Amino acid sequence: MPLRDPKFDFDFIVIGSGFGGSVSALRLVEKGYRVAVMEMGRRWNADNLPRTSWSIHRWFWRPKLGMHGFFNMRVFRHATIFHGCAVGGGSITYAGTLLTPPDSVWEAGSWTGLADWRAEMPQHYQTASRMLGVTENKILGPADRLLKQTGEAVGSSQTFYHTRVGIFQAREGDSPNQTFPDPFFGGAGPPRTTCAACGGCMMGCRYGAKNTLDLNYLYLAEERGAAVFPETKVVDVKPLAGTNDGSAGYEINTVKSTAWVRREPGRFTSRGVVFSASSLGTMELLFCLRENGLLPGISARLGKHVRTNSESIIGARIPGCAEDLSQGIAIGSGIYIDKHTHIEAVRYPNGADLLSLLTTFLTDGRPGPQRIGLWLKNGIGSLLRHPIKTLRLLCPWGWAREATILLCMQAVEGHLEMRWERPWLWPFCKMLVSRGDKVQTYIPKANEFARKFAQIAGGTAMSMLPEILFDIPGTAHCIGGCVIAGSPDRGVVDDHHRVFGYRNMYICDGSVLAANLGVNPSLTITALAERAMSFIPPAAQTDWNDMARAA
Ligand SMILES: Cc1cc2nc3c(=O)[nH]c(=O)nc-3n(C[C@H](O)[C@H](O)[C@H](O)COP(=O)(O)OP(=O)(O)OC[C@H]3O[C@@H](n4cnc5c(N)ncnc54)[C@H](O)[C@@H]3O)c2cc1C
Ligand code: SF4
């Protein structure tokens, strides 16, 4: 790496190595900057990824309990949020579905009118799609075929589609699980193996077929000189030399995220900072830094307009199913049952049965005690009428082989607010808490669809237990909280992702998304990060004076 200003350890420090962070690292290093990426999670490969979900310590991220996995789950009053934590961010645990939202998303939310999004974004989606190797899923498993059949039964078969995914698949007629020299970057990338259709994408791909960030953006960034610091959590970011806008650079303090006692504190300096710690991670860090006076100028809109894509997770289990429903890729197909309601067929690999503990009989009804009562009544009734069938439905073993999860997403407007407060349950320190109207956990149309699916498959429809007991929906798509806007009165960054009030400080991750996409967000996060990076001048031409402008 060129030694630009020896006063600083790096030109840019990127916090987080997910979609926004990996794009930023590669594009900045290509422009000639000295780049470091601080990542809280571990590095993963075929040898250390868990074989099943029972290997909890390698799957879950709870470092204080000795769990150093790549999958995190945070429970808030309004939603249980699932997200990734690894070198490669959410890409290690994600399903690989990469969809482009409808153009109408650019006409909703605080980014409207700030750029000619409809004209600008296609080129960035194209670059993002090429880099992430997006292609149509060619591997339809039994769960996808059942989704199609159910679509036919409810009159929506014309909307059935094969997902577009970032997965390296064998050519037609070729056998799966074959290794080839880099097929994506003209030989500059790592060798890759074709998909074995094991359904394990969300447990981490042990074949090297899923196009995770450590095999594309981040791999290339490291090859070109970016330094990645795994298991390194950023705890402080402060402007240097008594300036309050970061014009003299920043000091970044870190600790070892996987250590209990010897936390190996680190101190680094850089001219610029890119926050890419995901929607929750960036909000958490910025709230903390604003509260402790290190970055007091962060907009008061921090934490506003957090969106969860209005999701409901239902499904069906077919005890004794002749086919292995875990075969295929994690999300192989989808269907629109109406203009706003989108359902995807989701699976976990054979043996990954732990999630069965979160599923139960499908239960309708208004959330609250009434729904819990109905759930108990259905459960007891089923146990009395069909004891063996009911016990087989509840038995964890064989769940992944016999079950299909249906992920229902609705593109309807609605958002939460995150605040930095002492929760009444744990008043000893401040933390992120959610506020706002309840997000619906019961989408009647989705339940009807799950019931039909189960009927066609000869099984029983399922709901998620936390949705029934606590009226808390689960979501893997938390976005917003630091949204793009024309001024700090409306959002946290401008349309070039520059943080209002600070110089050479950017946010590139899901937190900047200002509208509900109605589809999985990673491709949009990647495309927006590509766009944001395209505005940063090459290192040789920078005057280190980049600052947000109110529109
Ligand atoms: C099970 C599951 C399946 C999913 N499937 C899909 C899918 O198929 N398609 C899709 O589009 N999306 C999917 N998602 C969502 C997707 O993973 C996220 O939307 C995406 O990863 C968000 O990208 P990001 O750049 O905002 O941050 P992330 O990719 O979440 O990366 C942020 C990184 O920052 C790190 N970090 C946080 N705080 C700090 C700190 N203080 N210091 C250092 N590092 C820090 C985290 O460890 C993390 O690795 C899925 C998510 C889950 C959980
Ligand atoms: S289905 Fe299996 S082999 Fe294919 S990408 Fe997913 S985890 Fe990898």
Side-chain angles (χ1 to χ4, degrees):
M1 278 187 287
L3 197 60
R4 198 151 299 283
D5 187 341
K7 278 208 309 280
F8 296 93
D9 298 319
F10 297 98
D11 294 330
F12 274 100
I13 288 185
V14 180
I15 306 171
S17 63
F19 289 87
S22 296
V23 173
S24 306
L26 174 61
R27 297 309 176 207
L28 289 171
V29 88
E30 281 177 346
K31 286 177 190 245
Y33 294 102
R34 296 175 304 136
V35 178
V37 182
M38 304 295 167
E39 171 53 58
M40 187 163 82
R42 289 172 64 190
R43 269 192 202 272
W44 294 94
N45 56 49
D47 297 328
N48 64 359
L49 282 166
R51 280 173 191 273
T52 73
S53 53
W54 296 106
S55 200
I56 296 183
H57 65 293
R58 291 194 193 192
W59 183 36
F60 257 70
W61 176 255
R62 271 292 171 279
K64 287 190 178 151
L65 300 177
M67 297 181 200
H68 298 146
F70 48 82
F71 176 76
N72 201 348
M73 185 167 129
R74 304 270 305 267
V75 182
F76 295 93
R77 202 166 128 202
H78 294 79
T80 301
I81 295 174
F82 310 113
H83 59 108
C85 172
V87 172
S91 76
I92 305 300
T93 191
Y94 94 141
T97 312
L98 292 163
L99 303 178
T100 308
D103 271 351
S104 54
V105 299
W106 307 112
E107 269 100 60
S110 53
W111 53 26
T112 308
L114 296 181
D116 189 354
W117 301 104
R118 279 177 187 253
E120 278 185 46
M121 287 310 291
Q123 58 174 309
H124 300 297
Y125 275 110
Q126 220 172 33
T127 310
S129 301
R130 179 174 50 77
M131 294 295 296
L132 296 173
V134 182
T135 178
E136 187 179 87
N137 171 34
K138 296 193 282 251
I139 306 164
L140 284 196
D144 303 300
R145 291 193 286 274
L146 278 170
L147 183 74
K148 189 167 183 209
Q149 272 174 271
T150 314
E152 281 159 10
V154 301
S156 303
S157 59
Q158 73 287 358
T159 65
F160 176 83
Y161 68 95
H162 296 214
T163 41
R164 292 193 63 76
V165 290
I167 290 177
F168 181 42
Q169 300 168 65
R171 277 190 304 232
E172 216 156 323
D174 286 358
S175 42
N177 197 10
Q178 301 290 316
T179 301
F180 294 88
D182 167 40
F184 291 110
F185 306 109
R192 303 295 307 280
T193 302
T194 51
C195 176
C198 71
C201 318
M202 291 191 286
M203 295 302 304
C205 179
R206 294 171 53 247
Y207 295 84
K210 188 169 67 160
N211 301 341
T212 48
L213 295 162
D214 54 339
L215 300 177
N216 43 59
Y217 277 107
L218 201 59
Y219 178 93
L220 297 174
E222 285 195 87
E223 287 290 296
R224 286 158 171 72
V228 176
F229 293 74
E231 300 176 44
T232 303
K233 180 176 179 177
V234 171
V235 286
D236 278 342
V237 177
K238 55 185 167 212
L240 277 172
T243 60
N244 51 17
D245 66 351
S247 46
Y250 296 92
E251 175 181 326
I252 284 96
N253 294 300
T254 63
V255 292
K256 189 167 164 71
S257 58
T258 44
W260 234 125
V261 268
R262 288 174 131 160
R263 303 211 74 191
E264 299 172 20
R267 178 189 179 273
F268 302 86
T269 54
S270 66
R271 300 254 21 196
V273 182
V274 183
F275 286 87
S276 296
S278 80
S279 172
L280 275 188
T282 294
M283 273 192 283
E284 194 156 43
L285 198 49
L286 289 181
F287 266 121
C288 188
L289 297 172
R290 193 176 69 184
E291 172 90 5
N292 63 21
L294 297 181
L295 296 178
I298 297 292
S299 160
R301 303 300 292 172
L302 175 63
K304 306 268 195 285
H305 294 283
V306 177
R307 292 173 164 91
T308 64
N309 248 355
S310 292
E311 286 170 23
S312 173
I313 300 173
I314 55 263
R317 181 165 182 180
I318 302 97
C321 182
E323 290 191 286
D324 179 353
L325 295 180
S326 70
Q327 292 287 297
I329 63 164
I331 303 183
S333 58
I335 199 162
Y336 283 84
I337 55 172
D338 65 33
K339 201 169 147 212
H340 301 291
T341 314
H342 173 203
I343 294 185
E344 292 173 340
V346 183
R347 72 221 78 190
Y348 274 87
N350 201 348
D353 299 330
L354 188 70
L355 271 180
S356 65
L357 303 179
L358 294 181
T359 56
T360 184
F361 316 96
L362 186 82
T363 306
D364 296 327
R366 193 196 299 246
Q370 229 181 352
R371 195 172 184 201
I372 299 175
L374 190 60
W375 168 69
L376 281 172
K377 189 175 141 215
N378 288 348
I380 295 167
S382 169
L383 208 55
L384 292 176
R385 279 194 311 276
H386 316 284
I388 296 183
K389 195 174 155 202
T390 309
L391 290 176
R392 283 184 75 182
L393 183 79
L394 297 177
C395 169
W397 288 277
W399 179 85
R401 200 191 153 280
E402 297 174 345
T404 299
I405 295 171
L406 298 170
L407 172 62
C408 175
M409 289 180 260
Q410 282 195 317
V412 289
E413 192 41 31
H415 46 81
L416 298 174
E417 183 180 341
M418 288 286 183
R419 293 195 195 152
W420 193 244
E421 290 177 357
R422 290 176 199 277
W424 62 268
L425 263 175
W426 188 259
F428 312 106
C429 60
K430 289 193 174 180
M431 57 179 78
L432 279 183
V433 293
S434 62
R435 293 279 178 267
D437 294 338
K438 276 267 178 207
V439 181
Q440 59 177 342
T441 54
Y442 168 44
I443 301 178
K445 280 190 164 179
N447 277 26
E448 268 170 48
F449 191 86
R451 210 169 268 119
K452 193 72 184 171
F453 185 102
Q455 188 195 344
I456 289 173
T460 308
M462 302 183 302
S463 288
M464 289 296 280
L465 199 53
E467 290 187 7
I468 293 171
L469 292 185
F470 311 113
D471 189 20
I472 299 179
T475 178
H477 301 141
C478 177
I479 56 173
C482 305
V483 296
I484 293 175
S487 73
D489 306 333
R490 301 199 62 213
V492 177
V493 294
D494 74 352
D495 75 299
H496 289 199
H497 298 222
R498 298 174 293 203
V499 177
F500 288 114
Y502 292 92
R503 283 175 206 270
N504 312 311
M505 182 185 279
Y506 308 82
I507 303 180
C508 285
D509 59 22
S511 69
V512 302
L513 300 193
N516 198 338
L517 303 179
V519 296
N520 321 50
S522 300
L523 188 65
T524 299
I525 297 170
T526 309
L528 279 170
E530 285 280 7
R531 178 179 175 276
M533 288 299 121
S534 72
F535 297 120
I536 295 186
Q541 290 163 22
T542 184
D543 59 0
W544 289 113
N545 202 21
D546 201 18
M547 197 172 185
R549 251 169 276 127

